[in-house]
Amino acid sequence: MSKELKLLICEDDETDALLLLRQLEKDGYQVHSLQVDNAADFTRALEDNVWDVIVSDYNIPGFGGPLALEITNDLGKDIPFILVSGAIGEEQAVNMVKAGANDYLMKGNLMRLGNVIERELKEVQMRQEIRMADQQRRANEEKYRAIINNSILGIFISPVQGNIIESNPAAQTLFGYTEEELLALNVEKLFDAAEAASLMHLPAMS
């Protein structure tokens, strides 16, 4: 079964773009692509559509890989960026990777293109899952914080022996301390056993 791929191609040579597409078809991809050769069209394409991968030539008159990568980064797009060029020095390629490009290939050797794209798509999925988990964690923390802060019961958290590490407004009112003052207190000094039993509505230990 072919894998669908939305591909944004930065290239001024239609023959080179077709070679990319043919290689990806051989690799089992059903490609939906757009070819652009200037910064304005590239920016518009990024803003108006969702892309799986960007493949860019390094040298395009008035445009090119470095500018395309800069625009991608400035827009905050987490899209694999693969540099494909017919003539690029090692130093230029390394600088592109340092700037955020995910990989680079020579136009005369596209055999790795499908594998590179597959790898980068998996990396994007992992990053998305991490972001979703982090968002869920923050949402849970906010919910927990709202429950604690809005409770009419005095709540504080501390080790069995040690300083209080958290308290809610009701606890601060109950004990007559500010939040900062409670955080500086050792739980054993906050109340003795008889006071604790009274607060818990239990008989005091003799």
Side-chain angles (χ1 to χ4, degrees), residues 153-157 164 166-179 181-183 185-192 195-200:
L153 300 175
I155 300 171
F156 68 85
I157 300 172
I164 294 170
E166 185 176 343
S167 66
N168 70 343
Q172 295 153 26
T173 300
L174 176 64
F175 291 106
Y177 290 103
T178 66
E179 181 180 10
E181 289 170 340
L182 276 176
L183 293 178
L185 286 177
N186 185 290
V187 65
E188 293 181 338
K189 296 180 179 179
L190 183 60
F191 47 77
D192 60 24
E195 290 173 330
S198 175
L199 289 170
M200 296 170 65

Side-chain angles (χ1 to χ4, degrees), residues 76-128:
K77 300 292 184 178
D78 185 11
I79 306 173
F81 190 102
I82 301 169
L83 187 67
V84 176
S85 184
I88 182 174
E90 182 176 352
E91 182 178 354
Q92 293 171 313
V94 169
N95 288 337
M96 286 289 290
V97 171
K98 288 181 178 179
N102 297 90
D103 210 332
Y104 65 93
L105 303 172
M106 302 305 293
K107 285 185 176 180
N109 184 19
L110 297 176
M111 298 297 293
R112 290 179 50 238
L113 182 59
N115 289 334
V116 169
I117 287 177
E118 183 177 3
R119 180 196 71 207
E120 293 304 325
L121 291 177
K122 288 180 180 178
E123 291 288 333
V124 168
Q125 183 177 359
M126 289 178 60
R127 290 195 295 272
Q128 290 174 342

